[in-house]
Protein backbone atom coordinates (compact mmCIF):
# COMPACT_ATOMS: atom_id res chain seq x y z
CA UNK A 1 0.00 0.00 0.00
CA UNK A 2 1.51 3.39 -0.95
CA UNK A 3 2.38 5.68 2.00
CA UNK A 4 -0.23 8.26 0.99
CA UNK A 5 -2.89 5.71 1.99
CA UNK A 6 -1.36 4.96 5.39
CA UNK A 7 -3.33 6.86 8.01
CA UNK A 8 -1.33 5.85 11.08
CA UNK A 9 2.01 4.37 12.14
CA UNK A 10 1.51 2.62 15.43
CA UNK A 11 -0.61 5.01 17.45
CA UNK A 12 0.52 8.12 15.55
CA UNK A 13 -1.83 9.70 13.00
CA UNK A 14 -0.36 10.71 9.63
CA UNK A 15 0.19 14.42 9.16
CA UNK A 16 1.02 14.01 5.51
CA UNK A 17 3.41 12.81 2.84
CA UNK A 18 5.23 15.02 0.38
CA UNK A 19 7.72 14.44 -2.42
CA UNK A 20 10.75 16.66 -2.94
CA UNK A 21 13.41 16.78 -5.61
CA UNK A 22 16.57 14.92 -4.63
CA UNK A 23 18.71 18.05 -4.35
CA UNK A 24 20.67 19.63 -1.48
CA UNK A 25 18.57 22.83 -1.51
CA UNK A 26 15.42 20.76 -0.86
CA UNK A 27 16.53 19.74 2.65
CA UNK A 28 15.41 23.11 4.02
CA UNK A 29 12.04 22.75 2.27
CA UNK A 30 11.53 19.25 3.69
CA UNK A 31 12.47 20.52 7.15
CA UNK A 32 10.07 23.47 6.85
CA UNK A 33 7.24 21.22 5.66
CA UNK A 34 7.62 18.84 8.64
CA UNK A 35 8.06 21.73 11.06
CA UNK A 36 4.92 23.44 9.81
CA UNK A 37 2.95 20.19 10.09
CA UNK A 38 4.12 19.73 13.71
CA UNK A 39 3.74 23.32 14.80
CA UNK A 40 6.26 25.24 16.94
CA UNK A 41 4.62 24.19 20.21
CA UNK A 42 5.29 20.49 19.67
CA UNK A 43 7.74 19.13 22.29
CA UNK A 44 9.86 17.38 19.63
CA UNK A 45 9.91 20.37 17.25
CA UNK A 46 13.58 21.42 17.55
CA UNK A 47 15.08 17.94 17.46
CA UNK A 48 12.79 16.98 14.58
CA UNK A 49 13.96 19.96 12.51
CA UNK A 50 17.58 18.93 12.89
CA UNK A 51 16.94 15.25 12.19
CA UNK A 52 14.83 15.84 9.08
CA UNK A 53 17.75 17.82 7.66
CA UNK A 54 20.23 15.08 8.51
CA UNK A 55 18.18 12.19 7.11
CA UNK A 56 17.11 14.11 4.00
CA UNK A 57 20.69 15.18 3.27
CA UNK A 58 21.83 11.55 3.53
CA UNK A 59 19.08 10.56 1.08
CA UNK A 60 20.33 13.19 -1.39
CA UNK A 61 23.95 12.15 -0.96
CA UNK A 62 23.54 8.37 -1.11
CA UNK A 63 20.22 7.74 -2.88
CA UNK A 64 20.11 7.33 -6.63
CA UNK A 65 16.71 8.70 -7.59
CA UNK A 66 15.22 12.02 -8.62
CA UNK A 67 12.74 12.35 -5.75
CA UNK A 68 12.65 11.84 -2.00
CA UNK A 69 9.41 11.21 -0.16
CA UNK A 70 8.91 12.47 3.39
CA UNK A 71 6.07 11.29 5.64
CA UNK A 72 5.28 12.63 9.09
CA UNK A 73 3.16 11.10 11.84
CA UNK A 74 2.54 12.76 15.18
CA UNK A 75 0.32 13.26 18.16
CA UNK A 76 0.70 15.88 20.89
CA UNK A 77 3.85 14.24 22.24
CA UNK A 78 5.59 11.95 19.76
CA UNK A 79 6.59 12.22 16.13
CA UNK A 80 7.74 9.70 13.53
CA UNK A 81 9.32 10.81 10.27
CA UNK A 82 10.05 8.52 7.33
CA UNK A 83 12.30 9.48 4.44
CA UNK A 84 12.18 7.26 1.36
CA UNK A 85 14.67 7.51 -1.48
CA UNK A 86 15.34 5.37 -4.55
CA UNK A 87 18.00 3.42 -2.71
CA UNK A 88 21.67 3.18 -3.35
CA UNK A 89 24.50 0.73 -3.09
CA UNK A 90 24.64 0.83 0.71
CA UNK A 91 22.32 1.30 3.67
CA UNK A 92 22.96 3.87 6.39
CA UNK A 93 25.63 2.79 8.85
CA UNK A 94 27.49 4.50 11.66
CA UNK A 95 30.96 5.80 10.87
CA UNK A 96 33.53 5.96 13.67
CA UNK A 97 35.88 8.62 12.34
CA UNK A 98 36.23 11.54 14.77
CA UNK A 99 38.54 13.34 12.32
CA UNK A 100 36.27 12.86 9.29
CA UNK A 101 34.45 15.74 7.66
CA UNK A 102 31.25 13.73 7.25
CA UNK A 103 29.54 10.83 8.96
CA UNK A 104 28.12 12.49 12.04
CA UNK A 105 24.48 12.51 10.93
CA UNK A 106 23.69 9.01 12.15
CA UNK A 107 25.50 9.67 15.43
CA UNK A 108 23.20 12.65 15.94
CA UNK A 109 20.21 10.52 14.94
CA UNK A 110 21.16 7.83 17.46
CA UNK A 111 21.77 10.38 20.22
CA UNK A 112 18.50 12.30 19.84
CA UNK A 113 15.92 9.67 18.90
CA UNK A 114 14.09 7.10 20.94
CA UNK A 115 14.42 4.70 18.05
CA UNK A 116 15.40 4.78 14.38
CA UNK A 117 16.05 2.37 11.59
CA UNK A 118 16.15 1.69 7.90
CA UNK A 119 14.56 -0.88 5.64
CA UNK A 120 15.06 -1.72 2.01
CA UNK A 121 11.59 -1.90 0.44
CA UNK A 122 10.62 -4.67 -2.01
CA UNK A 123 10.99 -2.26 -4.95
CA UNK A 124 14.58 -1.39 -3.96
CA UNK A 125 13.82 1.96 -2.37
CA UNK A 126 15.21 2.70 1.10
CA UNK A 127 13.12 3.93 4.03
CA UNK A 128 14.93 5.62 6.92
CA UNK A 129 12.75 6.51 9.88
CA UNK A 130 13.05 7.93 13.37
CA UNK A 131 10.81 8.42 16.37
CA UNK A 132 11.03 11.21 18.91
CA UNK A 133 8.93 10.82 22.04
CA UNK A 134 9.72 13.19 24.90
CA UNK A 135 7.44 11.11 27.17
CA UNK A 136 9.21 7.80 26.48
CA UNK A 137 11.04 6.26 29.45
Amino acid sequence: MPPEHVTTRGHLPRLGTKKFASAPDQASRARAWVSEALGPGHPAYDDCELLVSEVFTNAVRYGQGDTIEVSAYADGHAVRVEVVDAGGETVPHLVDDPDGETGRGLLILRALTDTWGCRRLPDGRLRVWFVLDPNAP
Side-chain angles (χ1 to χ4, degrees):
M1 183 181 317
E4 54 271 2
H5 298 298
V6 174
T7 58
T8 63
R9 279 281 192 238
H11 68 282
L12 299 174
R14 183 174 67 87
L15 300 178
T17 297
K18 186 167 179 159
K19 290 184 180 181
F20 298 88
S22 180
D25 68 331
Q26 295 297 297
S28 63
R29 291 183 180 179
R31 181 181 63 238
W33 176 77
V34 173
S35 296
E36 184 178 326
L38 277 182
H42 195 281
Y45 183 89
D46 292 331
D47 287 345
C48 191
E49 272 195 325
L50 172 62
L51 295 174
V52 167
S53 290
E54 291 292 338
V55 174
F56 192 95
T57 299
N58 277 352
V60 170
R61 176 172 280 156
Y62 301 109
Q64 296 179 343
D66 296 330
T67 61
I68 296 171
E69 183 178 277
V70 179
S71 298
Y73 305 82
D75 61 14
H77 302 285
V79 61
R80 176 183 173 114
V81 174
E82 299 177 355
V83 176
V84 178
D85 64 52
E89 296 179 16
T90 63
V91 296
H93 58 280
L94 295 171
V95 175
D96 187 14
D97 181 7
D99 298 324
E101 293 183 22
T102 64
R104 291 181 185 79
L106 292 180
L107 294 172
I108 294 168
L109 189 66
R110 185 173 71 175
L112 293 179
T113 62
D114 295 288
T115 186
W116 71 277
C118 64
R119 179 173 178 258
R120 180 127 3 235
L121 302 174
D123 62 3
R125 294 181 305 151
L126 184 68
R127 175 184 292 137
V128 177
W129 56 270
F130 63 84
V131 174
L132 295 166
D133 187 352
N135 291 338

